[in-house]
Amino acid sequence: MAQTTRSAAGQPAPAVSPPSPPPPPPSPPSPKGFRSAELGWPELRRIPHPPRRLPLLGDVLGADARTPLQDSMRMGQRLGPIFRRKAFGKEFVFVWGAGLVADLADESRFAKHVGLGVANLRPVAGDGLFTAYNHEPNWQLAHDVLAPGFSREAMAGYHPLMLDVARQLTARWDEREAAGRPVDVPGDMTKLTLETIARTGFGHDFGSFERSAPHPFVRAMVGTLSFAQRRNVVPPMLAPLVLRGAGRRNDADMAYLNRTVDAVVAARRAAPGQGGHGDLLDRMLDVAHPDTGERLSPENIRRQVITFLVAGHETTSGALSFALHYLSRSPEALARARAEVDEVWGADGEPAYEHVAKLRYVRRVLDESLRLWPTAPAFAREAREDTVLGGEHPMCRGAWALVLATMLHRDPAAWGERPEEFDPDRFAPSAVRARPAHVFKPFGTGARACIGRQFALHEATLVLGLLLRRYDLHADPGYRLRVAERLTLMPDGLTLRLTRRPPAV
């Protein structure tokens, strides 16, 4: 997914795939392998770090291995818009100041850096769109082949399938409401978004809503994401011992993901009339690059399918879950969003594709939820050549920094004095126009930003509209938001009680 596209008036633009950005200037591959910050930042000593740094161990006092992102947010609040952390001999630079991030967004000087947990996913995702190194040719090949799969025409074709999956969700929620039982918001949003990307992109039905427990694909996916995060916080010298059992489980999880995707691809190849779906899998199997005639290899097709199934549902389910949490605790925002849905959709039973883009306030709710908790909470950028960040911090070619989107989205310089408050009107057209560029980055930045962002935003806006039209949302008064981290973010333990609304007339 990538930065929100808006019209000249500041309103959310229709769900169309934006033109592909021009390719960045060529540069030689960056130095291979992990580079600790002292190797690429000549004036590293000028960047603050937490107090009480321990020899060998680094900045580990008070750290929680289960919540490294939230630990870094707390450190960033104390240390400022650029800071560093060291753990077990590895030093990292973090950036969240709006001006510095705008500098890092300059595609002529910086590029995506595949590091930390993202690189840990390469054993299963390889050179897929999300995990490919910049110099790997399959990224550009896959991007150019698959980008038309997110055109306006393609999105309109996905809409009926999105509606069909949403009906499965509302049928399940109707049963829970009738029984007076709460709904598991993150669990059900995960089922919804997995089925949506699987059916629209690959013609596959996981049968998630027919299961009481998560589909084994979800368990394997969560396992690989969690293992990738654990590898970030375990000392390398202890990893073979500490992660021995987890490593075996991760191998089994990756094998399951591979087998599942291989079966999906094999079924499509064997199906009568193969090539008639017009979905992402058809493009992967049948479409050559328009200029070179190259095709994706079978191995790369597997990696791209895994990438889309994992990234295409994990982040969207989190965005929907956070939005429902904030709406359930914001009566005014809930009333405004519901009134907009009723006005735009009228008495129509279900919305047409064109109706979704008219839910401008609902879209603001999503944007504000993504501001507070971008479900892909950080992204890394590396220097293409020797440069100076913000006119102050020299960087060598290949040096990199991790952008904390969660803190960028809370920078008072961009978002005002109370950035922790939930306020969808931050995304009113006048407010959007008044803010500087590059301060809202829930989908990454530049040429490597998420290819499926419009798909995700259309799906999430549609689902929120359907749920608001059908139910009143009642928060558990004793619940306090807890954020679970597994590379992506998700509300932990979030449930809601529902009351059916009378039909619109």
Side-chain angles (χ1 to χ4, degrees), residues 291-416:
D291 297 327
T292 68
E294 290 180 273
R295 293 178 181 269
L296 298 178
S297 69
E299 181 181 30
N300 189 258
I301 289 173
R302 172 203 274 179
R303 291 169 171 174
Q304 302 297 356
V305 174
I306 289 176
T307 296
F308 277 101
L309 287 175
V310 174
H313 92 275
E314 174 74 357
T315 52
T316 310
S317 61
L320 278 164
S321 298
F322 282 115
L324 288 165
H325 165 74
Y326 283 114
L327 280 173
S328 71
R329 292 174 176 270
S330 308
E332 181 183 351
L334 179 63
R336 286 180 63 183
R338 178 186 295 132
E340 180 183 65
V341 175
D342 290 344
E343 179 182 357
V344 170
W345 291 357
D348 295 339
E350 290 180 330
Y353 171 75
E354 303 80 39
H355 288 151
V356 175
K358 297 178 181 179
L359 296 182
R360 293 182 173 88
Y361 187 77
V362 173
R363 173 64 179 274
R364 290 184 209 171
V365 168
L366 274 169
D367 284 344
E368 177 68 349
S369 301
L370 283 167
R371 181 188 71 83
L372 287 166
W373 293 109
T375 49
F379 57 93
R381 301 285 284 173
E382 68 179 41
R384 295 181 180 276
E385 301 292 346
D386 294 354
T387 189
V388 179
L389 177 65
E392 185 177 358
H393 301 285
M395 297 176 68
C396 301
R397 183 177 71 85
W400 61 279
L402 190 67
V403 175
L404 292 178
T406 47
M407 288 296 293
L408 169 68
H409 294 176
R410 288 168 166 80
D411 186 348
W415 302 98

Side-chain angles (χ1 to χ4, degrees), residues 43-196:
E43 298 292 330
L44 187 65
R45 57 182 174 76
R46 297 167 54 191
I47 299 175
H49 65 75
R52 299 182 297 161
R53 175 171 282 188
L54 301 178
L56 300 179
L57 298 179
D59 305 313
V60 298
L61 291 178
D64 187 338
R66 296 169 300 176
T67 57
L69 183 277
Q70 292 165 82
D71 276 355
S72 295
M73 290 174 65
R74 287 187 285 270
M75 291 182 185
Q77 287 176 326
R78 296 196 303 268
L79 297 172
I82 181 170
F83 66 99
R84 53 189 167 116
R85 295 183 68 179
K86 190 171 188 176
F88 308 109
K90 293 183 177 181
E91 185 125 33
F92 311 90
V93 172
F94 296 81
V95 173
W96 60 266
L100 295 174
V101 174
D103 213 16
L104 288 168
D106 182 350
E107 286 283 288
S108 69
R109 295 166 54 215
F110 296 95
K112 174 172 178 170
H113 175 77
V114 177
L116 297 173
V118 176
N120 292 340
L121 292 174
R122 281 183 60 87
V124 65
D127 57 354
L129 282 170
F130 180 59
T131 47
Y133 292 118
N134 295 316
H135 63 272
E136 291 180 309
N138 274 335
W139 178 82
Q140 193 69 59
L141 170 61
H143 183 275
D144 292 348
V145 167
L146 295 173
F150 297 98
S151 66
R152 182 182 178 87
E153 180 182 10
M155 292 292 302
Y158 301 146
H159 180 81
L161 289 172
M162 291 181 178
L163 273 173
D164 192 49
V165 177
R167 292 186 199 106
Q168 293 181 282
L169 171 70
T170 55
R172 180 183 182 87
W173 279 24
D174 285 352
E175 293 174 358
R176 304 288 291 188
E177 187 272 339
R181 301 174 65 186
V183 295
D184 170 10
V185 175
D188 286 343
M189 292 304 105
T190 296
K191 291 180 178 183
L192 170 100
T193 54
L194 175 64
E195 291 300 329
T196 299

